[in-house]
Amino acid sequence: MIKMTDFLSSLNKEQRRAVEKIYGPVLVLAGPGTGKTHLLASRIAHILQSTDADPSNILCLTFTESAATEMRNRLQTVIGVDAYRVKIFTFHGFCEWVMTENPEVFRTQRGAREVSDDLQKALAFRDTIQERRGKYFSDVWDEFQWRRKVLSAISKLKRENVSPESFRQMIPEEKKRMESDPENIYKRKFKTFKPGDFKPSAREKIDRNIGKMEELVDFWELFEKKMKERKKFDFDDQLMWGVNELQENESLRLDLQERFQWILVDEYQDTNSAQNEILWQLTSFDDDPNLFTVGDDDQAIYRFQGASAENVQEFKARFPKGLLVTLSENYRSAPNILEASTSIIRKNLNRIDPDKSLTPAGENKKFPGNITRAVFGSRYTEIGFLVERIRASLSEGTVSSEIAILVRKNAEVEEIARQLPKFGIPVSAQIFQNIFDDEQVRTLILLLRIFANPDNDEKLFELLHAPFWDITPEKLLRWSHERKEKKISAFEFLFSTAEKEPELAHILHVIAASRKDFSHCRPEVLTEKLLYESGLAKYVSRSENKNSAENWAKLHKFLGVIRDQKCDTLREVLDRIDLYLSLHIPVRPEVLPSDRHAVQIMTAHKAKGKEFDVVFIPGLLDRVWGNTKGENALPLPQLFTDAHDGNDEERRLFFVALTRARKKIFLSYSTTDFSGREKTPSQFWHEVPEKSVHDLPLDDTEEQVQKLLPVFLQESGKTLLTDGEKEILREKAKKFVWSATSLQTFLDCPRKFLYQNLYHLPRNPTLNMSWGIAVHEALEKFGRHFTETKVLPSKELLLEEFEKALRGQSFGKAEFEKMLAHGEEVLGNYFDKKKDTFTPDHLLEFNFNKFVPEIDGVRITGKMDRIEFLDAGKTRAQVIDYKSGKPRSIQKGDKFWRQLVFYDLLVRHSKGIPWRAEEFVLEFLTPDSKGKLEQKRLDATEEDRAQVVSELLRANTALQNLEFPIVPNPENKSDIDFWQHFGKQ
């Protein structure tokens, strides 16, 4: 413990000036590394030392729990104040405390409701969308398609202290504002329009935006009702309820004003309108309140959460006599880093103190402050550069946790974090992992699914491939082929073969015994029983498993998730798990001790408040850092747009990223991405002063990291194919016949091709695939009836055939009714618009097998939906393939382009076909946004055909050599990720 006087004497001149101003509002502009927490703690200490204040009369508001904890620790252990008597809260925590202290006041709003997580909000969203299907926010394929945007808009409105009622009142005014915008009026004569005429496109946009706002407020009101029915509320509700009571309940407001005579706020620039209103209500009794705020408008980076640098301006306007103190001494970063950072942030013109700068103080004046820039030709070499420089930093004595990689987007965190461990660089599992991606958690979920439904062929064979059963790959491959040849279900195969296969007998016993012994158990108990009785727990705990602690942390977290759902049945639990997976709602594992001793990878937003010796900022690209197009958010009133340069906040974010570094910064970008698309650097790349940076020569850096490239596609764990598997698969490879679909599968993911086309592992079709199958079947039967009778069948017959086909798909009752209604709408519309073009002279489901097409000895095949003849002699034809979805353009190299070029090759290399194909067409059955049905044609060139032939021959060579490599997955497509990790530890 140290005396308060000693602690206060450690402040610099500017800090002492702020602390010693006891009465009246104070705004401290404290830049990064200027000791904000130190200053706030000193302020509290000085209040207690200089007045007769009781600690419980002091309220300190922070923005994160970690900041609140840090403040308590500093007060308790360094200064010697009883920190638990001082009220230190986040804004949400303060509102929770007020509600807890005054339960009778908040009984109507809160009642027995609990804070909701993302899953509970998703369930309330589903309840709402199912009850109220609107024009804009409903989608037949995905009930949750609009979830993020709608809930984000609602959250934004709440943070701006807007209720559904006040939002509804804003809409007419917003419409007037939009209609009065001079940009919507023709300024000169254009075609048939005169100066002053309203632009038709502007009218359409206004009507669409106003329609979305009106639908949003209707949805919002119903969503709040559904949340209340589920006895849930969210953190934004806490703020809204707190603000409303403070505004309307004079007794509560006066009690709190009397209680808290001194109020302090950390990170004031991060306040949103609702939080600001709390401050105004707590201090409204006095024009000169004891309000001490610390913030930095240069670090206002949370506009997407409702925070704004303008709040700092509002403080000055509200308290014109308040003291403004600017802290300039930085105790973190080296002089060169501070000089470069200050030079960049000065380009923002709306700073409160335009002359504010940072000067080094303390030990950081001794740091070298190197800023290095490097440009690369590919993303792989850029990540290779990170590896090489991190290794160098570690060898120089920098500890792993003092190295940070800061990126702009969440996707980049996982992209980089997946690569570094391949090079032996420790990475915190907490920063990007989701327990539902863990192999052991996935296996436990599979056990639950098989317990619930042993007849699920897809899941049962997937379970057999789980590593913990320790079944040889040869057996798995042989069993898969035997089941396919016998044409029996997976469970029938398991039952009939268990007598002669000990491994299958054990699995059958686990399934049968658990269903017999544990069916009465609650889901959380059943899950734990399966974990241990199956042998999975023993497998995870084996001595050779170096990741045992990490595996157990994820399994325990998963068991906790099951308990928290409070579901009565396993079916309910599995439905919840499916929602977690389909909505990509992550559940992070608990932090392990090892996570604190690893390279830190995070977004620049997450890095705020942290500091590191060495900072890497890769991917410094245009439209990533700056000039961001922004997500296609829902339209909201003008209240929510900032009237300054769109790059101001992006520049502040870059400033925050730079000022996380103490000693070194490495900036980089690659001129092409993983897909080979060309990229340009961010404008901030050029804003770093040339005198502050050292540019690495491009050729030298490329050559230096080239040797690391082979490691990127390396595999961990066992060899992909054993000798026994290869012996079986070689024969299948020799007999394999390629189709457009199998070629596309191989190009997308060779591992998926291996397991689906050679192993023949069962996979249940997705919802839209099943619907598409039924649509194709109905059109085929409709067309055959037309061909046979020469009389155009009725629309009723088409829809009847569709319903029959749909009943052959595995839909639940609710899904069936939804898919039936959608199919009747799509096919009915298709019939009405195309019936006059139908002819009975066509070929349906035309199969090329009997024509034995091959290219350079590689056999190919295919089936075409419809072939229309263009002449009476049936020598010229149009090849048509149905696409059940909405129209899409055909781009060279995409799957639609490849499919039509492949059809062209099929016709050209088939023997004995009595006609030639002159047109290859995709016919889209679902109309576009304007209700129009479209066809997309492709005239394949020699170059097109040569490219597909080259792809085919390369794929076939890889197949014959049994090469199924890992491929880049920069977009983290779940299907590719699943197959590339299938059956692997």
Side-chain angles (χ1 to χ4, degrees), residues 30 41 87 114 146 200 218 283 291 331 375 412 531 571 584 608 628 637 678 815 838 907 940:
K87 297 303 179 186
E114 298 177 344
W146 287 90
D218 291 341
T283 59
L291 177 60
Y331 291 86
V375 182
E412 296 174 87
L531 172 62
R571 184 68 264 161
H584 306 290
K608 189 160 178 290
T628 53
E678 293 187 358
E815 286 178 337
F838 293 154
V907 175

Side-chain angles (χ1 to χ4, degrees), residues 2-22 28 30 33-47 49-50 74 78-79 264 292 294 325 327-329 331 361:
I2 64 172
K3 294 180 180 179
M4 294 182 192
T5 51
D6 295 335
F7 188 69
L8 292 172
S9 67
S10 68
L11 302 177
N12 62 43
K13 180 179 178 181
E14 294 167 327
Q15 289 175 327
R16 287 193 63 83
R17 180 187 176 200
V19 166
E20 292 170 357
K21 171 71 173 158
I22 296 298
V28 181
T34 51
K36 292 191 287 291
T37 304
H38 182 71
L39 176 62
L40 283 164
S42 301
R43 175 68 170 178
I44 293 171
H46 195 254
I47 291 170
Q49 186 180 49
S50 305
R74 186 176 289 272
V78 179
I79 305 179
L264 302 92
F292 186 90
V294 179
V325 180
L327 303 186
S328 61
E329 291 185 341
Y331 291 86

Side-chain angles (χ1 to χ4, degrees), residues 680-696:
T680 56
S682 164
Q683 72 178 66
F684 306 139
W685 177 273
H686 303 291
E687 290 182 3
V688 181
E690 291 294 329
K691 66 178 182 179
S692 301
V693 300
H694 168 62
D695 288 310
L696 295 180

Side-chain angles (χ1 to χ4, degrees), residues 52-53 77 143 231 319 360 506 530 748 829 875 882 920 953:
D52 58 354
T77 62
E143 291 175 327
K231 297 183 178 179
F319 304 112
H506 171 63
L530 286 173
D748 288 342
N829 177 70
T875 61
Y882 298 129
F920 294 89
L953 297 180

Side-chain angles (χ1 to χ4, degrees), residues 5-217:
T5 51
D6 295 335
F7 188 69
L8 292 172
S9 67
S10 68
L11 302 177
N12 62 43
K13 180 179 178 181
E14 294 167 327
Q15 289 175 327
R16 287 193 63 83
R17 180 187 176 200
V19 166
E20 292 170 357
K21 171 71 173 158
I22 296 298
Y23 300 105
V26 179
L27 171 60
V28 181
L29 295 181
T34 51
K36 292 191 287 291
T37 304
H38 182 71
L39 176 62
L40 283 164
S42 301
R43 175 68 170 178
I44 293 171
H46 195 254
I47 291 170
L48 293 172
Q49 186 180 49
S50 305
T51 71
D52 58 354
D54 187 281
S56 63
N57 296 140
I58 301 174
L59 172 64
C60 181
L61 295 170
T62 67
F63 277 81
T64 63
E65 287 293 346
S66 60
T69 300
E70 183 183 354
M71 179 64 69
R72 289 191 193 96
N73 289 341
R74 186 176 289 272
L75 287 173
Q76 192 79 35
T77 62
V78 179
I79 305 179
V81 171
D82 186 354
Y84 289 90
R85 294 187 64 199
V86 177
K87 297 303 179 186
I88 305 173
F89 297 115
T90 63
F91 276 91
H92 291 97
F94 172 69
C95 291
E96 175 67 20
W97 177 81
V98 172
M99 285 191 283
T100 302
E101 292 285 301
N102 303 275
E104 70 287 347
V105 174
F106 294 92
R107 185 174 292 114
T108 302
Q109 299 100 314
R110 181 168 182 171
R113 297 165 72 178
E114 298 177 344
V115 174
S116 171
D117 59 15
D118 287 342
L119 181 62
Q120 289 296 332
K121 284 196 278 191
L123 291 169
F125 183 93
R126 184 176 64 181
D127 293 344
T128 307
I129 209 76
Q130 288 177 345
E131 182 171 326
R132 188 194 183 285
R133 294 195 175 277
K135 177 180 178 182
Y136 298 104
F137 306 141
S138 298
D139 185 271
V140 68
W141 298 114
D142 184 0
E143 291 175 327
F144 296 100
Q145 179 177 340
W146 287 90
R147 176 182 67 96
R148 290 184 183 277
K149 291 181 180 179
V150 168
L151 296 187
S152 175
I154 291 173
S155 178
K156 195 171 186 179
L157 288 160
K158 287 180 178 179
R159 289 169 179 172
E160 296 287 352
N161 198 27
V162 176
S163 66
E165 296 78 12
S166 56
F167 180 41
R168 194 180 292 280
Q169 293 171 3
M170 291 179 186
I171 295 175
E173 290 301 316
E174 180 65 10
K175 185 177 182 181
K176 289 181 182 177
R177 186 198 66 76
M178 294 167 73
E179 289 176 335
S180 63
D181 187 342
E183 293 299 317
N184 295 329
I185 308 295
Y186 283 109
K187 298 178 177 60
R188 57 187 177 82
K189 188 178 184 305
F190 177 73
K191 294 184 178 180
T192 60
F193 299 100
K194 304 185 297 293
D197 286 348
F198 209 85
K199 296 178 182 178
S201 59
R203 171 55 59 197
E204 290 178 7
K205 182 177 180 180
I206 291 171
D207 290 345
R208 182 171 62 252
N209 286 348
I210 294 299
K212 285 183 178 181
M213 289 187 206
E214 291 172 342
E215 189 167 309
L216 175 61
V217 71

